[in-house]
Amino acid sequence: MHDDPAVSVSGLFKSYAGVPAVRGISFDIAPGETFALLGPNGAGKTSTIEILEGYRKRTAGHVNVLGFDPGENCREFRECIGLVLQSTALEPELTVIETVTAFSQFYPEPLRVEGLLKTVGLADRRDNRVRTLSGGQQRRLEIALGLIGNPEVVFLDEPTTGLDPDARAGVWHLIRKLSQKGKTVILSSHHMEEVEALAHRLAILVAGKICASGTVADLLHEFGGHSRFSFWWPFDQLPYNLPPALGSLHHGHDNWVSFSVAEPGKALVQLTGWAHHYGVNLDSLTITKPTLEDIYLSLTGARQKSGGPDR
Amino acid sequence: MLVKQIQYQLMLFFRRPAALFFVIVMPVVLLALLTQILGNDPIPGQTTTSAQFYTPALAVFGVVTACFTYLAVSTATSRDQGILKRIRGTPLPPSVYMTARIISVTVIALISAALVIASGVIFLDVEMQWDKAVAGLFILVTGGLSFAALGMMVVALCRSSETVQAVVNATLLPLAFLSEIFIRPGRELPDWMIWTADFFPLKHFSVALGNAFKPSLEGYGFTWTDADDAFSVLPEFLILLAWGLFAGVIAVRFFKWDVRL
Ligand SMILES: Nc1ncnc2c1ncn2[C@@H]1O[C@H](COP(=O)(O)OP(=O)(O)OP(=O)(O)O)[C@@H](O)[C@H]1O
Ligand SMILES: [Mg+2]
């Protein structure tokens, strides 16, 4: 890509009353790209996004959005960004159409209100008061407000929390269309499938630092070298001398046994011989590639901490 | 843009039944109650009826309820709800938004005051003093703006709408009793009460508008004079102006669109 990045962040630090929340992160987002920020609660996603939106002051580092310094928060800057905040912020006593119309008046070249309501699936609620909408409907209204100004760069802080699968699919569709129109999207999310479906590139943020970034394929290649073998067998009746290429046994769950395997070809040969020898049936044997979620969990350390079942 | 914002703020006010009741209905109800309880006879030592006193006093109370109480509580609530923060993220200039909120409460205040005065004139034989009306309107608007500044100061200094509500009520109600609004003058008050009332702006506001309804006073109100029978709102105006500027400076200095940032 030859253009200047739409968003560029370098050496960004943010601390609250001396407590660091973002500790020196850098990334660039090209125009038209959809970029996702992943990370556990408190990792610093919202802090980063709200610095880029001009809400929060950075402690150190450089940020640039479409050539503007968001810290100056000038009107031209706000005209070309759109945003959805993490927590809902709507006037309960206005109707849906009044809310969107009010916001459309802030922007020089807004989208058509009726059309946008149709896109987010609120056309039939247009005359309802906001307070009578369900949580997911309010979220969709906020997404409409984020898009009404036809912005170049859209910040979406966990846009699909609280949405039903249909609505989520609708929002995904919307984000893809934005991307096709050449808009730059910055998205934070806790849903791996969302990130896999939408993001061209992503960064995983842990305790204020980026511990992995790139395309989904990059991450799978870099961190996800292992395939997962699993099959059904009563865990305590497992023969002891497991084939070496299977590597370490992960604790089973409901008699599911699974292994994280570095060399799947070799392991498969050894596994079948071993199974034949000991009369292990290999019921429901599956070999899966690692998912973004596996990588995410291993990087954020949630797997060890939670002590939950290994899939 | 400003006009549109004022329209939205007015529309929101008229959709909030509780606010509508306290700001628009309550002063009229109080006027009816007080004149019923105390009778509408001439106040001892003065030539006017109690309605002639309570009508401007409760008009002032309505204005203050709109410009101080309602402005402060509604703004703090919007801040709690994240609405102010969301607005701050749009191209709408923050000054336009705030100005619209302040103008809209001033319009509401004038509606409330007009209703009280009209009720007084129609039902309680209150005598309009048309030659003093311009000065009366002037003091209503400037007093309203001054109390709007005070309201915004409270919002700027408190973090949550609950606190704002508590502070607003705890300051306004006791002062209203000392400031010739609920209690007509005549009884001897302890000195400290008089000094307290003289210090704060509310009494000056009610006295200025009250004078605009006194048939015994002469003049249009815009003169500097010490004469006892002359009508002038300028001294009170200066005090309201000083309070308004003081509060406005503090409000601008400490106001936050989101207390968490
Ligand atoms: N206004 C604030 N004052 C003090 N500390 C804050 C403030 N906002 C965030 N923090 C702290 O900064 C850290 C990062 O918070 P942030 O909201 O950016 O996380 P996040 O990645 O968005 O988390 P989540 O997934 O829960 O939304 C947290 O430890 C949080 O406690
Ligand atoms: Mg967050």
Side-chain angles (χ1 to χ4, degrees):
Chain A
M1 266 159 258
H2 307 289
D3 298 323
D4 285 339
V7 176
S8 121
V9 174
S10 73
L12 177 64
F13 273 89
K14 172 73 188 172
S15 52
Y16 296 99
V19 182
V22 176
R23 318 172 193 223
I25 63 173
S26 304
F27 57 83
D28 281 348
I29 307 174
E33 197 173 28
T34 300
F35 185 84
L37 281 174
L38 282 171
N41 292 139
K45 303 180 295 295
T46 299
S47 299
T48 305
I49 291 177
E50 292 200 350
I51 287 169
L52 292 173
E53 289 165 343
Y55 279 119
R56 307 192 192 207
K57 298 262 170 272
R58 56 190 185 268
T59 309
H62 292 283
V63 294
N64 183 306
V65 177
L66 297 170
F68 294 97
D69 175 353
E72 288 170 11
N73 207 0
C74 64
R75 184 169 175 177
E76 288 74 24
F77 167 66
R78 292 196 301 267
E79 278 172 359
C80 43
I81 65 165
L83 46 100
V84 172
L85 295 171
Q86 181 168 359
S87 44
T88 309
L90 293 166
E91 178 55 67
E93 296 302 337
L94 288 180
T95 66
V96 169
I97 187 101
E98 286 165 354
T99 306
V100 185
T101 308
F103 270 66
S104 75
Q105 289 156 357
F106 302 157
Y107 296 90
E109 286 165 34
L111 301 176
R112 282 190 44 252
V113 173
E114 302 278 348
L116 182 59
L117 284 184
K118 222 173 266 154
T119 320
V120 297
L122 284 175
D124 54 334
R125 307 301 302 261
R126 67 191 287 280
D127 294 317
N128 290 88
R129 295 276 172 95
V130 169
R131 70 176 147 77
T132 67
L133 299 182
S134 76
Q137 289 165 341
Q138 294 189 358
R139 205 63 187 148
R140 290 191 239 170
L141 178 55
E142 295 207 299
I143 292 170
L145 298 184
L147 302 182
I148 185 70
N150 196 17
E152 272 315 302
V153 176
V154 188
F155 298 94
L156 306 169
D157 199 351
E158 301 190 23
T160 61
T161 4
L163 294 191
D164 64 38
D166 261 4
R168 171 169 301 166
V171 172
W172 288 8
H173 183 66
L174 218 67
I175 296 175
R176 284 207 194 89
K177 278 210 303 209
L178 284 177
S179 181
Q180 281 159 14
K181 280 198 279 178
K183 311 287 183 189
T184 310
V185 180
I186 293 108
L187 171 79
S188 85
S189 178
H190 291 295
H191 300 284
M192 302 302 146
E193 69 285 11
E194 181 162 299
V195 172
E196 277 179 295
L198 299 174
H200 300 115
R201 282 189 313 127
L202 64 124
I204 298 180
L205 214 55
V206 177
K209 282 190 178 143
I210 293 182
C211 64
S213 69
T215 63
V216 174
D218 286 343
L219 294 194
L220 290 179
H221 181 72
E222 187 176 346
F223 296 96
H226 292 209
S227 302
R228 186 169 302 277
F229 282 46
S230 46
F231 55 88
W232 193 92
W233 189 256
F235 191 68
D236 46 5
Q237 294 166 32
L238 208 58
Y240 286 117
N241 44 348
L242 293 164
L246 278 184
S248 56
L249 168 73
H250 285 261
H251 194 84
H253 170 59
D254 284 346
N255 292 329
W256 278 99
V257 193
S258 72
F259 303 87
S260 182
V261 176
E263 295 170 286
K266 200 163 154 194
L268 196 55
V269 172
Q270 292 180 4
L271 179 67
T272 48
W274 170 86
H276 182 68
H277 183 84
Y278 289 101
V280 175
N281 206 16
L282 295 184
D283 269 332
S284 312
L285 172 69
T286 52
I287 302 171
T288 47
K289 65 171 183 167
T291 60
L292 185 59
E293 183 155 5
D294 294 323
I295 294 168
Y296 174 83
L297 289 175
S298 71
L299 285 171
T300 57
R303 179 180 293 172
Q304 286 88 332
K305 271 186 231 150
S306 74
D310 193 0
R311 284 168 305 121
Chain B
M1 188 111 82
L2 180 64
V3 175
K4 278 262 166 28
Q5 283 304 303
I6 295 171
Q7 283 172 356
Y8 274 107
Q9 290 303 329
L10 288 174
M11 187 159 80
L12 284 172
F13 172 75
F14 286 104
R15 286 183 187 177
R16 293 173 178 146
L20 208 59
F21 177 78
F22 278 107
V23 175
I24 303 284
V25 182
M26 195 68 161
V28 178
V29 171
L30 286 176
L31 176 65
L33 284 179
L34 287 167
T35 49
Q36 271 293 303
I37 294 169
L38 301 170
N40 199 13
D41 301 323
I43 298 174
Q46 295 185 27
T47 51
T48 57
T49 61
S50 43
Q52 195 77 28
F53 165 77
Y54 277 119
T55 297
L58 289 166
V60 164
F61 185 68
V63 168
V64 173
T65 310
C67 289
F68 182 63
T69 312
Y70 174 70
L71 177 66
V73 172
S74 67
T75 307
T77 305
S78 296
R79 186 176 61 184
D80 282 1
Q81 291 169 327
I83 293 166
L84 296 192
K85 177 182 182 183
R86 187 63 188 83
I87 291 285
R88 194 75 184 83
T90 70
L92 179 69
S95 56
V96 171
Y97 181 75
M98 278 306 160
T99 308
R101 279 192 100 111
I102 290 167
I103 293 180
S104 72
V105 293
T106 311
V107 170
I108 294 164
L110 291 178
I111 295 174
S112 169
L115 258 154
V116 172
I117 294 170
S119 317
V121 170
I122 296 169
F123 301 110
L124 300 165
D125 298 326
V126 169
E127 254 182 80
M128 271 310 276
Q129 317 277 306
W130 288 110
D131 52 338
K132 301 186 187 112
V134 174
L137 187 63
F138 169 77
I139 206 75
L140 270 182
V141 172
T142 51
L145 291 176
S146 168
F147 273 88
L150 286 158
M152 291 309 294
M153 178 179 82
V154 175
V155 177
L157 296 179
C158 299
R159 284 181 70 86
S160 76
S161 60
E162 282 86 19
T163 328
V164 167
Q165 185 128 32
V167 169
V168 160
N169 289 331
T171 48
L172 178 58
L173 286 179
L175 265 185
F177 280 96
L178 303 185
S179 301
E180 302 190 8
I181 287 188
F182 295 152
I183 312 285
R184 59 189 188 188
R187 278 179 46 80
E188 284 294 312
L189 292 177
D191 281 349
W192 67 267
M193 281 195 186
I194 295 176
W195 291 335
T196 313
D198 282 343
F199 176 71
F200 289 108
L202 187 57
K203 182 175 171 185
H204 303 286
F205 193 5
S206 68
V207 165
L209 193 68
N211 286 343
F213 281 79
K214 278 191 186 150
S216 57
L217 299 180
E218 294 288 330
Y220 294 103
F222 296 103
T223 44
W224 294 105
T225 165
D226 288 339
D228 274 352
D229 62 347
F231 170 52
S232 173
V233 296
L234 293 181
E236 283 84 10
F237 165 70
L238 276 191
I239 293 171
L240 289 169
L241 182 70
W243 272 97
L245 289 178
F246 163 77
V249 167
I250 294 190
V252 169
R253 170 72 186 71
F254 291 102
F255 185 78
K256 281 187 166 171
W257 292 75
D258 178 12
V259 290
R260 282 155 301 199
L261 292 187

